[in-house]
Amino acid sequence: MAQKVVVLVGTKKGAFVAESDAVRRSWRLRGPFCETWPMNHVVADPATGTIYGGGGNEWFGPAVWKSTDLGESWTHSSDGLSYPAGEEPIKAVWSLAAGDGCLYAGVQPAGLFRSDDGGQSWTHVEGLQQHPSRPEWNPGGAGLILHSLVPHPRDPGQIWVGISAAGVFHTGDGGKTWETRNRGTRADFMPEDQRYPEFGQCVHCLVMAPGQPDRLYQQNHCGMYRSDDGGRRWNSIEAGLPSSFGFPAAAHPRDADTLFLLPLNGDTKGRFVPDGRAAVWRTRDGGAHWQALRQGLPQENAYFGVLRQAMATDRLDPVGVYFGTSGGALFASADEGENWDCVAQHLPTILSVETLVVDG
């Protein structure tokens, strides 16, 4: 059966859709969509093929956009995306995740919402903001945002979230109660005797390994980590990387030991690829060893960054890997990172990259 790969790109000026056949050599780009709203995260529900885009800002307000025809037409709704009167208004939707027949949205200031009607209306998952640590949460560089949403693939009661700069939190009862899951991750910006707090770490990206829901990978402001017990304990896997600082991570869809990263040169050195030479770093053994993949990527004068949600894989064999840059370039590999092509240029700043494989 013929397959089509759809790459969903969220940017500061709308959503874009790049399409190719399963060979992934020739690409067609469509957009911008969503009336050029800032689109922080554009995702697809693999069960239905519906595309959702979360975005907005303090001028537009928050909303979730929706397309049921691969981006040809869109609607949007913000019904219920608000905190009670007197609380700080929601500025934008930052992350989306579909699972178990519902849709979750992470927002700024950090909070979690759920929709049971395909994004038409939203309900606040109040338990997260009722966590005792909430009064002490502090914003990261982009604000106090809930940017990582990781539902358990088989247990709808379990969800992990990443908040900058509060850390990782987990619920086992559908959001009624939450606990911190930050043991072992550093907060180098804190005083030396406070560098392993219960919360307050600046998590950048959180992803789950395929087939092993307790295997989580985390790119943090202060290191790269792996957990094999659902985040109860984290272990550093940054040895061999050019930097402990970066934003995105992308899991292989079938191999729990394979992960893709794009490290940057540090939080105070420009936040671009080290030495101006682009590379995606891959591990095949759960972070014990790393390999730099450079073929086809710019190896001089490359001073771009790649943001926390701007890297993804597809589910084909061999796996496709994709990332978008702060300079508006979209790169793609059809062979698990061995070779790269620039498939789109001069887009607005790319905020997110996700994929959908369509059969038939």
Side-chain angles (χ1 to χ4, degrees):
M1 180 180 293
Q3 293 179 308
K4 178 168 68 174
V5 180
V6 181
V7 179
L8 308 170
V9 183
T11 80
K12 284 191 173 182
K13 297 181 181 179
F16 293 78
V17 176
E19 297 175 330
S20 181
D21 60 17
V23 179
R24 295 163 291 180
R25 289 179 181 168
S26 178
W27 292 85
R28 174 191 176 215
L29 184 70
R30 296 186 285 119
F33 301 118
C34 307
E35 299 178 7
T36 66
W37 276 40
M39 299 304 294
N40 293 315
H41 199 198
V42 183
V43 305
D45 183 346
T48 65
T50 300
I51 299 172
Y52 297 98
N57 57 23
E58 58 266 33
W59 303 108
F60 291 100
V64 174
W65 292 73
K66 177 179 180 179
S67 174
T68 59
D69 53 14
L70 295 182
E72 295 296 336
S73 61
W74 296 80
T75 59
H76 69 88
S77 175
S78 57
D79 182 17
L81 282 172
S82 62
Y83 292 138
E87 296 189 16
E88 184 179 352
I90 295 175
K91 295 180 180 179
V93 174
W94 265 85
S95 56
L96 296 168
D100 193 46
C102 69
L103 184 67
Y104 287 99
V107 302
Q108 177 190 11
L112 181 64
F113 286 76
R114 173 178 172 141
S115 174
D116 293 306
D117 57 9
Q120 297 304 306
S121 62
W122 296 88
T123 302
H124 184 205
V125 182
E126 298 178 355
L128 180 59
Q129 289 205 325
Q130 293 170 354
H131 192 273
S133 66
R134 176 62 182 88
E136 300 179 64
W137 294 359
N138 290 307
L144 184 61
I145 57 175
L146 196 162
H147 53 68
S148 290
L149 269 169
V150 184
H152 193 287
R154 296 185 298 275
D155 181 355
Q158 292 198 62
I159 309 168
W160 291 261
V161 301
I163 300 172
S164 293
V168 174
F169 292 78
H170 171 266
T171 179
D173 56 15
K176 296 182 180 66
T177 60
W178 296 78
E179 64 179 31
T180 57
R181 293 275 175 102
N182 299 299
R183 186 181 178 189
T185 54
R186 302 190 311 275
D188 291 340
F189 42 81
M190 300 287 285
E192 188 170 350
D193 61 348
Q194 302 175 33
R195 290 190 177 173
Y196 288 90
E198 179 186 353
F199 63 90
Q201 290 89 338
C202 190
V203 55
H204 282 179
C205 184
L206 184 70
V207 296
M208 180 181 287
Q212 297 187 30
D214 282 337
R215 167 78 66 85
L216 300 171
Y217 293 101
Q218 178 188 160
Q219 174 68 70
N220 194 285
H221 189 105
C222 307
M224 184 65 209
Y225 301 91
R226 187 183 106 190
S227 172
D228 292 312
D229 58 7
R232 293 177 180 86
R233 174 73 191 185
W234 294 91
N235 297 297
S236 173
I237 56 170
E238 62 197 64
L241 292 170
S243 166
S244 62
F245 180 88
F247 285 99
H252 192 286
R254 292 176 292 276
D255 182 357
D257 288 331
T258 297
L259 185 77
F260 302 90
L261 298 181
L262 208 152
L264 303 182
N265 65 345
D267 59 346
T268 63
K269 298 180 180 180
R271 301 190 178 196
F272 50 78
V273 293
D275 303 319
R277 301 174 60 232
V280 169
W281 290 72
R282 183 183 65 197
T283 180
R284 294 291 200 186
D285 53 15
H289 303 88
W290 296 92
Q291 177 187 8
L293 308 172
R294 301 180 182 275
Q295 186 65 39
L297 296 176
Q299 294 303 293
E300 60 180 4
N301 300 323
Y303 298 105
F304 57 73
V306 178
L307 297 176
R308 69 182 83 243
Q309 296 178 137
M311 191 174 192
T313 57
D314 66 31
R315 61 177 175 85
L316 297 183
D317 187 11
V319 167
V321 189
Y322 310 86
F323 70 89
T325 74
S326 56
L330 178 64
F331 288 90
S333 169
D335 54 9
E336 308 205 359
E338 296 291 340
N339 296 277
W340 294 89
D341 292 298
C342 183
V343 300
Q345 299 184 70
H346 314 306
L347 300 180
T349 298
I350 294 175
L351 304 176
S352 76
V353 175
E354 299 285 359
T355 68
L356 173 69
V357 176
V358 180
D359 295 321

